[in-house]
Amino acid sequence: DAGITQSPRHKVTETGTPVTLRCHQTENHRYMYWYRQDPGHGLRLIHYSYGVKDTDKGEVSDGYSVSRSKTEDFLLTLESATSSQTSVYFCAISETRTAQYFGPGTRLLVL
Amino acid sequence: GQQVMQIPQYQHVQEGEDFTTYCNSSTTLSNIQWYKQRPGGHPVFLIQLVKSGEVKKQKRLTFQFGEAKKNSSLHITATQTTDVGTYFCAGPVNNNDMRFGAGTRLTVKP
């Protein structure tokens, strides 16, 4: 597996609190992605990055923000968590916008 | 908006039977990718198809990309219990925005 880690792996939080998820890679890949996975929806792209400080919105970006200050780190922030953001969050990396390599995922429960 | 649709949603087969999942896009795709996700795991890249009409094989898995580059299929010959998981197709709808199908969940009865 590619060198991708996600932290935390599990988190329980309350509605209205901010949450930050971290994705860290050791592959020096240019592209990084955040997805959420929900039953019946497959994987939906939240935000992606094509370089340090270069990010763009994906299909379901409302309520999420991202930052990438270093090549190896891509942070996803839920500014005010809602129950609809309960999901499994996957980070992925890609060298050439082709094959994506996924991290182990973060299970987030918003009560 | 642009969508990538996948059918069937579920498929249950007896070990040794064949399995096929189909992927359709509302727009022409520059490429299509296939991923497998084992239960409780993360998606794992299987293959990418780029050319119109392209066919690629990986052991018992055969991947096809349609002539119009709007559809694709994954066929598994003689399924085994190790094939269990959810298979996703994915295609770029703009330069960097990947759209995944909802996946086909395969279960195999020994």
Side-chain angles (χ1 to χ4, degrees):
Chain A
D1 286 343
I4 313 168
T5 56
Q6 292 184 231
S7 58
R9 294 293 313 279
H10 303 268
K11 186 167 181 68
V12 180
T13 191
E14 294 186 349
T15 298
T17 60
V19 176
T20 296
L21 308 182
R22 181 185 184 230
C23 178
H24 179 78
Q25 61 148 328
T26 58
E27 305 295 324
N28 201 36
H29 284 187
R30 177 183 176 187
Y31 300 93
M32 298 186 75
Y33 308 81
W34 275 108
Y35 292 89
R36 61 177 290 173
Q37 185 172 38
D38 306 288
H41 290 278
L43 292 145
R44 291 182 292 174
L45 183 65
I46 304 171
H47 282 280
Y48 58 92
S49 170
Y50 44 96
V52 174
K53 296 187 180 179
D54 291 325
T55 65
D56 207 347
K57 297 179 179 180
E59 183 185 4
V60 290
S61 61
D62 287 349
Y64 302 94
S65 62
V66 290
S67 66
R68 192 171 178 198
S69 59
K70 298 184 290 185
T71 299
E72 57 266 35
D73 289 324
F74 193 32
L75 303 180
L76 176 70
T77 298
L78 289 64
E79 289 148 14
S80 179
T82 67
S83 58
S84 65
Q85 293 176 312
T86 291
S87 187
V88 179
Y89 291 85
F90 286 102
C91 173
I93 65 174
S94 176
E95 177 62 25
T96 58
R97 295 186 318 194
T98 55
Q100 294 189 21
Y101 300 95
F102 285 79
T106 294
R107 290 186 176 274
L108 176 66
L109 174 61
V110 183
L111 300 175
Chain B
Q2 293 167 304
Q3 293 187 27
V4 175
M5 293 153 286
Q6 198 172 347
I7 57 169
Q9 189 174 0
Y10 302 97
Q11 186 77 55
H12 179 72
V13 299
Q14 190 80 31
E15 189 173 22
E17 292 181 339
D18 292 356
F19 159 77
T20 305
T21 174
Y22 300 91
C23 185
N24 289 284
S25 170
S26 56
T27 59
T28 300
L29 299 170
S30 60
N31 68 81
I32 195 152
Q33 300 168 24
W34 285 92
Y35 294 80
K36 176 183 178 181
Q37 184 176 22
R38 295 183 183 274
H42 59 274
V44 175
F45 174 77
L46 294 177
I47 207 163
Q48 176 176 279
L49 305 173
V50 179
K51 298 177 183 177
S52 169
E54 188 170 15
V55 178
K56 287 189 176 180
K57 292 189 176 184
Q58 291 180 349
K59 298 182 180 179
R60 294 178 293 103
L61 278 61
T62 301
F63 303 85
Q64 293 187 323
F65 200 10
E67 294 290 340
K69 301 183 75 172
K70 296 178 71 173
N71 61 287
S72 181
S73 65
L74 159 59
H75 179 82
I76 302 178
T77 303
T79 55
Q80 300 175 358
T81 55
T82 54
D83 296 324
V84 164
T86 301
Y87 293 85
F88 294 96
C89 62
V93 295
N94 59 41
N95 277 344
N96 293 313
D97 188 353
M98 289 295 290
R99 291 291 169 95
F100 279 74
T104 296
R105 183 176 175 184
L106 173 66
T107 55
V108 179
K109 184 176 181 180

